[in-house]
Amino acid sequence: MLDFETPADWSQHLSGIKYVTTRDIDWGLGTPRSKTRLKIPAGRVFDVSVPRGLRWLIDPHNPKYRIAGLIHDELLHVHNWTRMRAGGEFHDALRAGGTSAICAIALWVAVSLFKYPLATR
């Protein structure tokens, strides 16, 4: 398994808040030992989206947030998961990357509720 706290082993900075995977990522959905795997190929471009106004508090270049940003982007934009479902995996990835429980919960709320659809169709 990759050491997600050392993203230099699996990702490279491109520009701004954009990164690219340099190795294939194999993530267990729900739990690291899950048989349901999220496989992300090397070469996947992703970003660690933190609103500019919050970057003094949450540095998008901090390695402990990077795996969470990748998994969240993959689930939202490639697999079309809802923000709430992707948010759960985002939280788990934050914890795997070394984020404290309190910070992970706060970030989970932020990404899960951002652009939350208030109107029904």
Side-chain angles (χ1 to χ4, degrees):
M1 175 164 261
L2 289 173
D3 176 2
F4 294 120
E5 293 182 44
T6 312
D9 292 344
W10 62 267
S11 66
Q12 178 181 5
H13 184 242
L14 294 176
S15 66
I17 58 172
K18 293 221 177 278
Y19 288 83
V20 64
T21 57
T22 56
R23 293 175 52 183
D24 292 347
I25 302 296
D26 182 1
W27 178 261
L29 293 171
T31 176
R33 293 189 177 100
S34 173
K35 291 182 181 181
T36 304
R37 310 302 296 176
L38 176 65
K39 300 201 182 235
I40 305 170
R44 168 74 162 90
V45 175
F46 66 101
D47 61 47
V48 185
S49 301
V50 176
R52 286 190 191 278
L54 293 177
R55 290 185 188 170
W56 64 273
L57 180 62
I58 304 294
D59 178 5
H61 302 291
N62 187 323
K64 64 184 176 182
Y65 306 131
R66 202 163 307 152
I67 189 66
L70 168 64
I71 289 168
H72 192 253
D73 273 11
E74 182 76 11
L75 292 173
L76 280 179
H77 305 299
V78 176
H79 298 278
N80 299 312
W81 280 31
T82 64
R83 295 193 84 71
M84 294 298 275
R85 287 184 65 209
E89 288 298 324
F90 175 78
H91 173 271
D92 292 347
L94 285 170
R95 297 293 288 146
T99 303
S100 71
I102 297 293
C103 186
I105 289 169
L107 292 170
W108 167 76
V109 168
V111 301
S112 296
L113 297 181
F114 181 68
K115 296 184 181 178
Y116 188 80
L118 297 176
T120 58
R121 294 181 203 190

